[in-house]
Each structure stands twice: as structure tokens, then as C-alpha cells.
Amino acid sequence: MPWWGIAALFAGTFVVFALVHALSKNKHPFKRALLSVGSGLLTLSGVNLLSGFTGVTIPVSLLSILTAVMGGVPGVTLLLFLNLIF
């Protein structure tokens, strides 16, 4: 996938989160959307940074990054659970 396609996916995810937060009458929808996207990325990077201590790692690919961005902390938890099963 070209780089502009990946950028479009991230931008589209951010816009959807901003719309959801705006429709739910939050005061700062863009700030909340940025926090939703950022929490997923920080959680994914935290899991991989702590893999030396825990022995648990999630391979970083486009699919895992998009799952972390779209799902946030529950998305990363889902990736960890699927890693445990398979």
C-alpha cells in the first residue's frame, strides 16, 4: 500500500473519531479523537518496549497498527489475546 493510502487511513480514522465525539456532545472533539488514536499507539509501543521483561510481543505491521489506532487500548488487548490463542 502506498504511503498516501496509509496516511488517508489514519486521517479517516481521526475524522471518524472526531465526528463520534462531536455527536456525543463532547467539549473538545478533536482533542478527544487525538487521545483515542494516541492511546492505542502508546499502548502498542508500550507492549513492545516491555517485551524484554514480559516475553510478550506483538509484531508491528500495518494491520496491528491500524487495530491499535482504531481500537485503542481494547484493540491492543485483543491483539494480545489473539497472540495468546494462536
Side-chain angles (χ1 to χ4, degrees):
M1 180 176 269
W3 67 269
W4 56 267
I6 296 170
L9 281 172
F10 283 121
T13 302
F14 177 76
V15 169
V16 167
F17 279 147
L19 285 174
V20 167
H21 288 299
L23 290 174
S24 65
K25 309 245 192 251
N26 283 332
K27 280 188 166 184
H28 306 285
F30 290 110
K31 181 179 173 183
R32 296 284 298 170
L34 187 61
L35 287 174
S36 296
V37 169
S39 68
L41 288 175
L42 285 175
T43 306
L44 180 65
S45 62
V47 166
N48 283 329
L49 283 174
L50 294 174
S51 66
F53 297 113
T54 62
V56 178
T57 183
I58 299 174
V60 177
S61 66
L62 182 60
L63 180 64
S64 65
I65 291 173
L66 286 176
T67 304
V69 165
M70 289 184 203
V73 176
V76 176
T77 305
L78 174 69
L79 288 172
L80 286 170
F81 181 69
L82 290 174
N83 193 14
L84 178 69
I85 291 176
F86 297 108

